[in-house]
């Protein structure tokens, strides 16, 4: 058996021609790839931020486009609804205009007491139907003359009126809502030129009577 000599430690084999430093392990030094890693991460973060900004900008543009399209659609719906109502009113007004002569005949028959029997039932049914369609009659004796809704066919002077007044309704007027489809045809009277209005005459007469009763 071989005995170990005390005081000597077994050293690793060193290749011939190598220095002692080569036999010691060297500390690890960072490679070029590891040194470039932080810079690469920063560049990637910048690129992602730029892409996020682009996405946000595109989203804002698409949202604005959607809001604009929605507003245009709402305006289109309102125009369509308004046009639909207008077309309906025009169609109804055209139909009722054709029925006005019939309604005039019914009115004259009623005035002369000829609206009786089956004719009365038909006439009342017709008046009910046109009323449901929105037809309204207007024009009364004694109301002030309005050239926008009245058509004066006769003219005269009267001492008992203070303004141009409808004194007779020759043909009633008709309207649908605010739309006049036929003005009321009337006879009008104006105050007598130079004449004192009846109200002023009555007031003056009352003053004279009260003054005449006093004793001096």
């Amino acid at each position: 058996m071989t005995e170990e000599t005390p005081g000597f430690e077994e050293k690793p084999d060193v290749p011939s021609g190598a220095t002692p430093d080569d036999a010691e392990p060297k500390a690890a030094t960072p490679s070029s790839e590891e040194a470039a890693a932080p810079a690469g991460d920063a560049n990637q973060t910048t690129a992602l931020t730029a892409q996020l900004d682009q996405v946000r900008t595109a989203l804002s543009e698409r949202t604005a486009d959607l809001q604009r399209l929605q507003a245009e659609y709402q305006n289109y719906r309102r125009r369509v609804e308004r046009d639909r109502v207008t077309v309906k009113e025009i169609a109804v007004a055209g139909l009722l205009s054709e029925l006005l002569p019939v309604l005039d005949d019914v009115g004259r028959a009623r005035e002369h007491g000829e609206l009786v029997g089956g004719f009365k039932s038909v006439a009342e049914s017709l008046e009910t139907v046109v009323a449901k369609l929105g037809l309204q009659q207007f024009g009364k004796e004694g109301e002030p003359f309005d050239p926008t809704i009245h058509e004066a066919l006769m003219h005269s002077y009267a001492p008992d009126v203070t303004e141009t007044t409808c004194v007779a309704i020759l043909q009633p007027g008709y309207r649908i809502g605010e739309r006049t489809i036929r003005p009321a045809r009337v006879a009008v009277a104006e105050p007598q030129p130079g004449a004192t209005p009846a109200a002023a005459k009555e007031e003056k007469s009352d003053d004279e009577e009260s003054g005449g009763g006093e004793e001096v």
Side-chain angles (χ1 to χ4, degrees):
M1 298 179 63
T2 303
E3 295 181 358
E4 295 181 359
T5 304
F8 292 93
E9 294 180 357
E10 186 176 355
K11 295 183 179 180
D13 295 337
V14 178
S16 61
T19 62
D21 294 338
D22 293 336
E24 297 179 357
K26 295 182 179 180
T29 57
S31 63
S32 60
E33 294 180 357
E34 293 176 349
D41 292 343
N43 293 335
Q44 185 177 7
T45 301
T46 303
L48 290 175
T49 302
Q51 291 179 359
L52 181 59
D53 292 339
Q54 292 178 356
V55 171
R56 287 175 176 172
T57 302
L59 178 61
S60 299
E61 293 176 353
R62 298 299 179 271
T63 302
D65 292 340
L66 180 60
Q67 292 174 347
R68 183 171 60 255
L69 289 174
Q70 186 176 8
E72 291 177 355
Y73 177 67
Q74 293 296 335
N75 292 333
Y76 168 76
R77 287 188 59 184
R78 283 193 289 267
R79 286 197 304 270
V80 169
E81 182 64 19
R82 184 171 60 249
D83 293 343
R84 185 185 67 81
V85 173
T86 301
V87 169
K88 179 181 178 181
E89 290 179 351
I90 293 174
V92 172
L95 172 63
L96 295 178
S97 296
E98 298 297 327
L99 294 176
L100 294 185
V102 179
L103 296 175
D104 292 337
D105 291 338
V106 170
R108 283 190 290 268
R110 182 178 284 112
E111 290 176 358
H112 292 84
E114 298 175 357
L115 200 62
V116 295
F119 180 43
K120 180 180 179 180
S121 299
V122 173
E124 290 176 349
S125 298
L126 176 62
E127 290 174 338
T128 300
V129 170
V130 297
K132 288 182 178 180
L133 292 175
L135 186 66
Q136 299 175 351
Q137 185 183 105
F138 66 90
K140 294 181 180 180
E141 294 182 6
E143 64 185 8
F145 176 75
D146 184 352
T148 62
I149 60 173
H150 296 137
E151 180 182 354
L153 301 183
M154 298 177 63
H155 177 271
S156 62
Y157 293 97
D160 57 344
V161 297
T162 58
E163 59 181 341
T164 305
T165 305
C166 300
V167 294
I169 306 300
L170 307 179
Q171 272 188 338
Y174 290 96
R175 67 166 63 98
I176 301 176
E178 299 298 325
R179 181 194 297 270
T180 299
I181 61 176
R182 189 181 77 180
R185 294 166 180 169
V186 300
V188 299
E190 293 184 24
Q192 189 73 30
T196 304
K201 284 184 177 181
E202 292 179 0
E203 183 178 354
K204 183 177 180 180
S205 177
D206 293 340
D207 292 341
E208 290 176 352
E209 290 178 359
S210 60
E214 294 180 356
E215 294 182 358
V216 179

